[in-house]
Amino acid sequence: MGHLDHAAFGLLTPVLSYAMAVIGAALGLRCTVRALATSGRARRNWLMTAASAIGTGIWTMHFVAMLGFAVRGTEIRYNVPLTILSLLVAMFVVGAGVFCVGFGRDRVTALLIGGLTTGLGVASMHYLGMAALRLHGSVRYDPLLVVLSVVIAVAAATAALWAALNIKSPGAVAGASLVMGAAVSSMHYTGMLAVTVRVVPSGGELPGATAMQFIFPLAVGLGSYLFVTAAFVALSPTAGERAAYASAERPTEPAGSVAEGSSTATAHTA
C-alpha cells in the first residue's frame, strides 16, 4: 500500500480549498436570493450565475485540495478530458438543482429534489475527478466511506438551498456560506479517507498532465472568475434599490400647476 499524504504543502491547500468553497457558496446563495426576488429572464440569469458560482467553487475547492495530495512511491498525473468533464458535471447538475428551487411551485418538494440533485452532482464531480488520477498502481475505495461522503454532499446541498430560500440578510448568508464550505470540505476529505492505493513500481511514463501543468493554472483562472463575479454581484443593485431609483427619478408635478388646475376646474364647474 502506498502512503497517502493529503496535505503535502501543510495547511496551505486545506485552508485555500475551504476558502474557495466558501466564496462559491456565498456567491451562489446571494445570486439565488437575487433570483427569487425577480421573475422571467432576470430570474433565469441570476440562477445561471448561481449555478456557475457554486459549481466553480466546489470544483476549485476539490482540485486545490488535490494539489496537496501525494502518494509515496509514484508520481500523479491527471487525465485532462475527465477533469474538464468533472467541472462541466458540477456546473450542469448543480444548475439543475438550483433551477428546481428557483422555479419550483411547491417549495418543500423543490427543496428535496434540488438538494438531492445538487448533492449527487457534487459527489459525481468528486469521483469523476478522482477517476482522472493516473498513477503507478491501483486505487480502491471503502464503500461505507463513499456512501457517507455522498450523504454529506446531499445534506450540505439541501441545507444550502434551504438557506437560499429562507435567509435574506447578507450576514446570515455569510454564516450559511461558512457552514456550506465546511460541509463541502468534509465531503471531500471523507471521500479521500475512503481511498487506498496499491503502488506498483514502474519506470514507464504516466499519461496525462501534472497538477502544476494543468490543475494549478485552471484553478487560478476559475478562482479569478469567482472574484470577478463577486465584484459584479456586489456592485449590481438589488430589486429594492432599483425600485427606489425608479421612484426617485419619476418626475413630480409642481405644486403651482396643481393649484392652478384645481382653480380652473372650479371655475368651469361654476
Side-chain angles (χ1 to χ4, degrees), residues 5-18 64-70 189:
D5 189 349
H6 297 287
F9 299 104
L11 291 177
L12 176 63
T13 50
V15 171
L16 187 56
S17 65
Y18 172 70
V64 166
M66 291 303 292
L67 290 174
F69 178 68
Y189 285 105

Side-chain angles (χ1 to χ4, degrees), residues 4 6 62 66 69 123 126-127 130 139-150 152 183-196:
L4 308 185
H6 297 287
H62 171 80
M66 291 303 292
F69 178 68
H126 175 87
Y127 289 105
M130 292 301 295
V139 178
R140 294 182 180 179
Y141 296 92
D142 182 328
L144 290 179
L145 287 176
V146 169
V147 171
L148 178 59
S149 70
V150 174
I152 292 173
V184 171
S185 296
S186 299
M187 178 268 159
H188 171 83
Y189 285 105
T190 300
M192 295 307 295
L193 286 176
V195 174
T196 56

